[in-house]
Amino acid sequence: MTTTRSADDRINPITSIPFFGIHVAAIVGVFVVDFHPSLIVWAVLGYVVRIWAVTAGYHRYFSHRSFETSRVFQFLLALLGTLALQKGPLWWAAHHRWHHQHADTDVDIHSPTLKGLFWAHMGWILCDKYKDTDLERVSDFARFPELVWLDKGALVPPTIMLAALYVLGGPGVFVWGGLLATVLSWHGLFCANSLTHLYGTKRFPTTENSRNNAFFGLLVLGEGWHNNHHYYPGAARQGFVWWEIDLTYYGIKLLEAVGIVWDVRGVPERVMAAAITPSQ
């Protein structure tokens, strides 16, 4: 079942041109530029950096406050996250907090069960309804002027990065490490909004349709353990047991080991006790 949408709840074809343009440029570019095996390394590296920046920074830090860090590294996390071209950290966190409050209800911004798979995957990002940042919803971070400034100018860092890839690495690095890695990271992360609310297993008795999916757990560096996350979103880890690979969490623990982050929130025993399916 889908819900009726208003005019501002539909894809804006004009403002969506850059989004689809990058897709076309990436696909065409792969076949046009001279190929070298090192370009695959650039694509993988670009993908992993973008995914980790969003999952560790935008998601687990800015959206859920699952660990603490300094003001300097907080800004660096936000800056790194902008390179994924998913708008600013405050915009991202504000909308994600709303999603958790209203997941799979009529007012959820990207529910595949209520508004369709395409809408949940990327349609909602391309409409005018959700283009603004609700600073009240992220008032804990909106008090930092540098984050507000970065949120408004979120296109500047990735533009500089793409230009640098072209100038320093040439057309091949620009296409594979820039455009293609961006497109792949977009759709990898979008799957957490769409497919992990449709396919997988349910360990915890949540009121929405979140699912644990091992494939997406690997593909999106731990974000595929989505039912775990929706049941207890405050944890820095989303793979709750040893065999649920969560590369984002491993990166956070490494930062904790060297003192860059601290107060990394774990999963209480009472949470695991609430599981409705075996954990191992």
Side-chain angles (χ1 to χ4, degrees):
M1 182 182 71
T2 59
T3 57
T4 302
R5 302 192 183 106
S6 60
D8 67 344
D9 208 7
R10 300 190 183 105
I11 293 175
N12 185 323
I14 303 301
T15 58
S16 299
I17 290 175
F19 177 81
F20 291 110
I22 290 176
H23 280 77
V24 173
I27 295 170
V28 172
V30 164
F31 293 99
V32 171
V33 300
D34 293 332
F35 176 75
H36 187 276
S38 64
L39 294 178
I40 296 177
V41 177
W42 277 101
V44 172
L45 180 63
Y47 173 85
V48 170
V49 168
R50 288 166 174 81
I51 294 286
W52 192 89
V54 173
T55 58
Y58 277 20
H59 190 195
R60 305 191 196 190
Y61 181 69
F62 288 107
S63 297
H64 296 294
R65 301 294 300 268
S66 65
F67 57 90
E68 298 295 329
T69 190
S70 66
R71 185 168 177 175
V72 172
F73 192 70
Q74 171 182 278
F75 180 76
L76 292 177
L77 276 176
L79 182 64
L80 190 64
T82 63
L83 301 185
L85 277 169
Q86 290 205 18
K87 301 188 179 182
L90 303 183
W91 178 91
W92 205 102
H95 285 87
H96 189 73
R97 289 180 182 185
W98 177 268
H99 164 65
H100 270 269
Q101 289 176 333
H102 306 283
D104 289 330
T105 69
D106 289 339
V107 292
D108 185 4
I109 54 180
H110 45 65
S111 171
T113 57
L114 296 178
K115 298 183 179 181
L117 181 61
F118 176 82
W119 178 259
H121 191 71
M122 63 185 188
W124 72 277
I125 300 172
L126 303 175
C127 72
D128 291 334
K129 185 174 183 179
Y130 305 111
K131 64 181 180 180
D132 296 325
T133 302
D134 186 346
L135 293 179
E136 291 186 2
R137 202 175 297 152
V138 285
S139 59
D140 49 338
F141 288 114
R143 63 190 179 92
F144 297 105
E146 67 272 20
L147 293 181
V148 176
W149 170 80
L150 185 62
D151 198 71
K152 293 178 179 178
L155 284 176
V156 175
T159 301
I160 295 174
M161 174 200 67
L162 290 172
L165 288 176
Y166 186 87
V167 172
L168 300 177
V173 172
F174 171 74
V175 169
W176 285 78
L179 301 181
L180 182 62
T182 295
V183 170
L184 293 176
S185 67
W186 276 344
H187 291 286
L189 289 163
F190 294 168
C191 285
N193 294 335
S194 57
L195 297 180
T196 59
H197 276 259
L198 294 174
Y199 304 107
T201 59
K202 202 174 180 73
R203 171 181 290 144
F204 295 102
T206 57
T207 58
E208 32 57 48
N209 204 45
S210 61
R211 294 289 188 267
N212 284 340
N213 188 300
F215 174 75
F216 292 115
L218 288 172
L219 184 69
V220 203
L221 308 188
E223 299 289 294
W225 308 113
H226 208 56
N227 178 246
N228 292 349
H229 173 61
H230 264 272
Y231 187 76
Y232 192 71
R237 64 186 305 169
Q238 294 187 18
F240 282 5
V241 295
W242 67 268
W243 52 265
E244 293 177 339
I245 298 173
D246 186 347
L247 295 177
T248 295
Y249 176 66
Y250 306 155
I252 293 171
K253 291 297 287 183
L254 178 61
L255 291 173
E256 181 187 36
V258 296
I260 295 176
V261 308
W262 53 88
D263 293 341
V264 177
R265 296 168 63 183
V267 183
E269 291 184 7
R270 60 177 173 78
V271 170
M272 297 307 299
I276 55 178
T277 57
S279 298
Q280 49 188 334

